[in-house]
Every structure is written in structure tokens, then in C-alpha cells.
């Protein structure tokens, strides 16, 4: 199989699974049993760096909601004509002083949710890489958290305290952040962990999913940066081109998946993802034995 075709397959796997509660890392570990780039150092770096494409898919699709300095959300003290007559320096100063407070509060909650993973990730990253990256661990995590998702969704009279992102409290954000740390175990899924955390903290499905997307931005940027530092970046020009291609493909695929996923959960629960995880986990156990 050509390196180009391998890149396409791996990028599609990353883009499809990154924001679904099915574990992108787990799927990449499993797919790498059959489709793997060479040498190993390049393969490991590729799998990490192409996640940046998926991150930018979130940023591009939710840029308006995430941008506290968007002119459409700022209450002007001057009319638009007055703003247009400002110099570039005056415009920058105006935007910095006049920001959308609800959006800024959302970012504060994202930072609060990111802190647990930042601290624990730095402490346990090497241990996890050494002992937990294996198909058996992935399969076990897929099955276990698949069952947890189904149990949570089948629970009756679940209280929804946060029906929109503005209702999400800092304490709920922190709880979701601690749940995100469970995703350090391959096969758990960062999306699954944060969505489970959101549901147990009392958020709606859409709030749990969207906050999971936003929490991915600092978490994945931090994790990717840490991995790049450890793995290095001394690759050939052709290898960098393959990485760039992989990031672009993962961006395009993830953008489609995010839109489809959000439409789906507005009228469906997460049970189908729990069932999928269990089936895949069982197949992996059968295969490796």
C-alpha cells in the first residue's frame, strides 16, 4: 500500500472519530495494526500532529460563538461609521476594551475544565505511553465506557440543569474537566469522557457535546505540543507534506462530522455510540486472541 493511501485512510479515521464518543486514539491504534506509516517515529508524530486539523475544524465552525471580540456581539458606544473611521491601532484598542462578556465567561469555563487534564497529563503522560497503549486496553475501555454511556442514557428522570452554554456553571465545567482525564486511557475517548461528564453534571446533550468540542481546543493543542516536543520534528520534506495532507483531510472530514453529529443528537441519544463501542471492543478481543 502506498504512503499516500495510508495517509488518506488514517486521516479519515482521525476526522471521523475525533469528536464522536468512540475514541480516535483507540481507532488509530487499531488501524495501525493493519495500516502503518514508516518509520515508527514518523508514524507516531503523524497520528498526533494531524489532530491539529480536527481542532481547526471546531475553531472554524464555532468561530462566531467563540470570538468575544466579534463586532456583531459588541454593544457599540459609537456607530459603525465611527468605527470604520478609526485607525488600525484604534480599532484594536476598541476591540480589546469592548468584548462580549458571556463569551469571555465561556472561555473561563473552558480554561477551568482544561486545568485537570493539563496537570495530570504532564504527570502521567510517559507512564500511559509506556504501559497502556495496547489493543487489549483499547478494547476493554471501548466496552466499559460503551456500557456506561448506555446506562446513563437509559436512566430515567435525569435532571438537566444547563440547557445552554450560558447555564453551565464553573463547578460543572470543573467536573467535566476531571472526567476528561479518564480519556488518558486509550480507548476511553476524550469526547466520550467529557460528554459523560456533562450528562452526569446535569447538562443537556447539546451542551455536553458543544462544551466537549470547545474543551478540545486547549486540551488537544496542549497534548499535541507535548507530543511534538517529545517526538521531535526532524522529518524530510516529503514526510512533512504527508503530515500537511493528513491535517487538511482530517480538518475537512471533522468539519462534516461535527455538523452531522450536532444535528443527530438534537433528536437522538448517545446509545448507538455505546452499542458501537461494545461491538468494536468485542471484535478486537476476538481478533487479538
Amino acid at each position: 500500500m502506498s504512503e499516500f493511501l495510508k495517509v488518506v485512510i488514517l486521516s479519515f479515521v482521525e476526522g471521523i472519530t475525533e469528536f464522536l464518543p468512540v475514541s480516535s486514539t483507540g481507532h488509530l491504534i487499531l488501524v495501525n495494526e493493519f495500516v502503518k506509516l514508516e518509520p515508527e517515529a514518523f508514524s507516531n508524530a503523524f497520528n498526533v500532529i494531524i489532530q491539529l486539523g480536527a481542532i481547526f475544524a471546531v475553531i472554524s465552525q464555532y468561530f462566531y460563538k467563540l470570538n468575544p471580540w466579534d463586532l456583531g456581539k459588541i454593544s457599540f458606544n459609537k456607530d459603525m461609521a465611527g468605527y470604520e473611521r478609526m485607525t488600525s491601532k484604534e480599532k484594536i484598542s476598541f476591540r480589546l476594551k469592548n468584548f462580549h462578556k458571556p463569551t469571555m465567561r465561556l472561555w473561563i469555563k473552558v480554561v477551568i475544565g482544561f486545568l485537570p487534564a493539563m496537570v495530570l497529563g504532564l504527570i502521567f503522560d510517559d507512564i500511559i505511553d509506556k504501559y497502556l497503549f495496547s489493543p487489549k486496553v483499547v478494547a476493554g475501555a471501548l466496552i466499559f465506557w460503551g456500557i456506561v454511556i448506555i446506562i446513563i442514557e437509559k436512566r430515567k428522570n435525569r435532571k438537566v440543569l444547563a440547557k445552554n452554554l450560558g447555564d453551565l456553571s464553573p463547578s460543572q465545567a470543573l467536573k467535566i474537566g476531571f472526567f476528561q482525564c479518564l480519556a488518558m486511557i486509550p480507548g476511553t475517548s476524550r469526547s466520550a469522557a467529557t460528554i459523560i461528564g456533562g450528562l452526569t453534571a446535569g447538562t443537556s446533550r447539546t451542551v455536553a457535546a458543544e462544551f466537549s468540542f470547545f474543551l478540545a481546543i486547549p486540551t488537544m493543542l496542549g497534548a499535541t505540543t507535548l507530543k511534538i516536543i517529545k517526538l521531535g520534528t526532524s522529518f524530510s520534506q516529503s514526510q512533512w507534506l504527508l503530515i500537511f495532507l493528513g491535517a487538511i483531510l482530517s480538518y475537512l472530514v471533522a468539519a462534516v462530522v461535527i455538523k452531522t453529529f450536532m444535528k443527530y443528537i438534537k433528536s437522538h441519544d448517545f446509545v448507538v455510540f455505546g452499542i458501537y463501542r461494545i461491538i468494536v471492543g468485542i471484535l478486537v478481543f476476538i481478533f487479538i486472541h
Side-chain angles (χ1 to χ4, degrees):
M1 188 183 297
S2 70
E3 296 297 278
F4 174 80
L5 184 55
K6 291 178 182 178
V7 165
V8 172
I9 293 172
L10 292 170
S11 302
F12 268 72
V13 171
E14 163 64 24
I16 292 171
T17 60
E18 183 59 57
F19 297 109
L20 298 181
V22 296
S23 178
S24 62
T25 302
H27 277 73
L28 285 173
I29 290 174
L30 298 176
V31 172
N32 270 289
E33 293 292 312
F34 310 96
V35 179
K36 190 171 184 177
L37 297 168
E38 298 294 344
E40 186 174 356
F42 170 65
S43 177
N44 293 336
F46 176 87
N47 290 340
V48 171
I49 298 174
I50 63 170
Q51 293 178 344
L52 293 173
I55 296 172
F56 281 107
V58 172
I59 295 173
S60 63
Q61 292 205 32
Y62 286 94
F63 189 74
Y64 175 78
K65 186 173 283 190
L66 292 170
N67 182 12
W69 293 284
D70 190 284
L71 294 177
K73 296 192 288 188
I74 297 174
S75 297
F76 280 93
N77 295 321
K78 300 180 180 181
D79 59 16
M80 180 60 79
Y83 177 80
E84 292 298 332
R85 288 194 295 270
M86 293 180 187
T87 65
S88 297
K89 186 175 181 179
E90 288 173 336
K91 287 180 179 180
I92 293 172
S93 177
F94 177 83
R95 284 176 179 255
L96 291 175
K97 292 177 181 178
N98 296 270
F99 54 84
H100 189 239
K101 292 182 180 179
T103 305
M104 194 60 76
R105 285 195 290 268
L106 172 60
W107 271 110
I108 291 172
K109 295 169 191 174
V110 169
V111 171
I112 290 172
F114 165 64
L115 290 176
M118 180 185 73
V119 175
L120 296 179
L122 288 171
I123 295 173
F124 295 108
D125 185 65
D126 289 336
I127 297 173
I128 291 168
D129 283 349
K130 184 175 181 179
Y131 296 106
L132 297 182
F133 270 77
S134 72
K136 286 185 179 181
V137 172
V138 170
L142 282 167
I143 294 172
F144 177 78
W145 292 109
I147 294 171
V148 171
I149 289 173
I150 294 172
I151 291 173
I152 291 174
E153 284 289 30
K154 293 299 183 180
R155 187 177 59 183
K156 295 181 180 180
N157 301 320
R158 185 176 69 84
K159 291 184 179 180
V160 178
L161 305 175
K163 295 182 179 180
N164 57 67
L165 287 168
D167 296 334
L168 188 71
S169 68
S171 61
Q172 287 175 311
L174 184 61
K175 182 176 182 179
I176 295 170
F178 276 108
F179 266 86
Q180 180 175 236
C181 296
L182 297 170
M184 294 176 187
I185 301 173
T188 296
S189 166
R190 193 205 59 80
S191 295
T194 49
I195 287 172
I196 290 170
L199 295 178
T200 57
T203 72
S204 67
R205 294 187 185 95
T206 54
V207 169
E210 285 196 338
F211 192 71
S212 174
F213 295 160
F214 302 158
L215 197 54
I217 297 172
T219 303
M220 292 170 63
L221 281 174
T224 301
T225 301
L226 179 63
K227 294 291 186 183
I228 290 174
I229 291 173
K230 291 183 176 181
L231 295 172
T233 56
S234 56
F235 304 119
S236 67
Q237 186 177 22
S238 61
Q239 287 174 325
W240 275 114
L241 286 173
L242 290 175
I243 289 174
F244 180 74
L245 173 62
I248 293 296
L249 290 175
S250 66
Y251 167 85
L252 295 173
V253 175
V256 173
V257 169
I258 289 170
K259 285 185 178 180
T260 306
F261 181 56
M262 291 307 298
K263 287 181 181 179
Y264 176 84
I265 64 172
K266 286 180 180 178
S267 55
H268 299 83
D269 57 30
F270 295 110
V271 170
V272 66
F273 297 104
I275 295 172
Y276 170 82
R277 291 175 64 102
I278 294 170
I279 293 173
V280 173
I282 291 172
L283 289 175
V284 172
F285 270 127
I286 294 173
F287 175 79
I288 63 179
H289 281 87

